[in-house]
Amino acid sequence: MLWYAIASLTPAVLLALACLWGGPFPLLAVVSITVFVFFMDKLPRVQPVTAKTGRGLSLTLAAVHFPLLALGIWALGTSSGPLGLIDKLLIFTGLGLYFGQVSNSNAHELIHASAYLPRRVGTAIYISLLHGHHVSAHLRVHHVFAATDADPNSARKGEGFWVYALRVLRGEFTAGWRAEQTHRARAVQSLPVWTHPYAAYVFGAGALLVLTFWLVGPVGLVAYLAIALYAQMQLLLSDYVQHYGLRRRIEVNGKPEPIGPQHSWNAPKWYSSAMMLNAPRHSDHHMRPARAFPALEVTPDTMPVLPHSLPVMAVLALIPPLWRRVMDRRVARWQKPA
């Protein structure tokens, strides 16, 4: 578990120091989650020592997330202090990458927990990033319909990221809403409106925006919105990369075939995987959603493997012609005819 902790917590420590004191820390924070990760992935593979669930690290990362988000909004939203414009741009970049790659991966791990408290903590992380509806869309839509057209978060072959992102920003919210409505309609007794998950998502986000404006003012509010949007883009990039072009066959009964190892892309580079709590080991997660992140595995013979780490592939995805040149022939090798 040591390498998971080092990889996921080091950028948080550097970002906190950057927000408080500036100096070399803003640059070090960004390097720690970009260039440093890239070169660590090039070193001989280190297999992190696994714990049974990794729940202690997940809850630690959650405890770090909320004060770091508040500290980041304060640092970017106030004019006093040691931070210049370049410092703030670096901090903004580092926060967006960290919340999108580490906090998102951790929240994703927590919402799949069987226990009530971790699930609520994971949901709170998504709400703090103004993306609470992702919980419903992920659990009730994505894990049911992944690698089909019924899942807005599964990218189609030839679909560029920017077109995909605009489609998902609209489709994910409504798909999660419809799934929750269907789920609640099955209840034996009528459920109070305040128990609807979307009440927590919408009112929770609204309360945080009002609180931010009250405490830090309009500049802080703009900083919060920008950080949240940047983090959401990182989440969308992950979903885009990990399901691009792969499709489940529709069987004669009209239902998709069971999801298998061939329906998700995997990026088993050791250090970036440790930083993201093995989220890039995506096929195993879809086949066994309750499996804790330290136990996730990759078998390259049966699971599609990306040519580079997930963060590198996310950068490539920002340039659709380059992305298609790299990925479409790989999709064709894995995609069986219907």
Side-chain angles (χ1 to χ4, degrees):
M1 194 53 57
L2 177 62
W3 278 111
Y4 291 111
I6 290 172
S8 60
L9 287 170
T10 297
V13 172
L14 291 172
L15 283 166
L17 294 173
C19 291
L20 291 170
W21 290 296
F25 294 114
L27 179 59
L28 288 174
V30 172
V31 168
S32 74
I33 202 169
T34 54
V35 177
F36 181 71
V37 175
F38 177 82
F39 282 107
M40 288 296 285
D41 273 339
K42 299 295 183 183
L43 296 178
R45 181 181 179 86
V46 174
Q47 181 63 45
V49 177
T50 60
K52 185 176 181 181
T53 66
R55 187 55 44 78
L57 177 59
S58 286
L59 293 176
T60 299
L61 288 168
V64 166
H65 167 85
F66 297 103
L68 182 60
L69 177 59
L71 185 61
I73 294 169
W74 170 81
L76 298 178
T78 58
S79 57
S80 59
L83 301 177
L85 177 61
I86 299 300
D87 293 330
K88 291 188 175 184
L89 288 174
L90 288 170
I91 289 170
F92 167 73
T93 301
L95 289 171
L97 290 171
Y98 184 80
F99 294 139
Q101 295 181 17
V102 180
S103 287
N104 166 56
S105 298
N106 186 46
H108 170 259
E109 177 73 13
L110 290 169
I111 64 172
H112 280 283
S114 58
Y116 176 85
L117 178 60
R119 293 200 310 271
R120 296 285 75 81
V121 172
T123 300
I125 292 173
Y126 280 122
I127 291 174
S128 75
L129 296 174
L130 311 181
H131 205 190
H133 61 273
H134 179 76
V135 178
S136 292
H138 182 81
L139 296 177
R140 302 203 185 279
V141 181
H142 182 64
H143 269 272
V144 178
F145 300 109
T148 73
D149 288 344
D151 173 38
N153 290 67
S154 293
R156 302 147 187 167
K157 183 181 178 182
E159 183 178 34
F161 171 72
W162 300 106
V163 173
Y164 164 87
L166 289 174
R167 178 173 63 79
V168 174
L169 286 173
R170 177 184 66 256
E172 187 183 40
F173 187 93
T174 56
W177 170 267
R178 288 194 299 269
E180 288 292 353
Q181 291 292 88
T182 301
H183 176 72
R184 289 169 67 84
R186 297 193 188 105
V188 176
Q189 294 181 331
S190 179
L191 299 173
V193 66
W194 60 83
T195 65
H196 198 298
Y198 270 66
Y201 306 154
V202 174
F203 288 107
L208 288 171
L209 290 172
V210 170
L211 182 63
T212 299
F213 183 82
W214 180 52
L215 292 176
V216 196
V219 178
L221 180 62
V222 170
Y224 184 15
L225 291 169
I227 291 170
L229 182 60
Y230 193 2
Q232 291 174 26
M233 188 178 77
Q234 299 299 309
L235 184 155
L236 295 184
L237 280 166
S238 294
D239 278 350
Y240 176 83
V241 169
Q242 291 176 129
H243 289 284
Y244 175 77
L246 301 176
R247 280 294 182 269
R248 292 151 68 185
R249 294 191 310 273
I250 303 301
E251 298 181 333
V252 292
N253 61 5
K255 296 181 179 180
E257 66 177 321
I259 196 159
Q262 72 275 22
H263 295 130
S264 304
W265 291 101
N266 301 272
K269 299 292 185 181
W270 77 274
Y271 192 81
S272 54
S273 289
M275 180 183 72
M276 301 175 74
L277 306 186
N278 281 344
R281 300 183 176 190
H282 209 58
S283 290
D284 196 6
H285 168 69
H286 266 281
M287 292 187 294
R288 289 169 278 267
R291 175 173 280 188
F293 75 85
L296 294 175
E297 300 174 347
V298 174
T299 53
D301 292 340
T302 61
M303 298 177 179
V305 175
L306 295 163
H308 305 290
S309 69
L310 186 55
V312 170
M313 295 306 295
V315 173
L316 292 182
L318 297 174
I319 311 170
L322 178 59
W323 171 261
R324 287 193 291 267
R325 182 176 179 181
V326 171
M327 287 301 297
D328 281 6
R329 57 190 173 89
R330 290 180 165 86
V331 170
R333 286 203 295 267
W334 282 97
Q335 193 63 63
K336 296 179 180 179

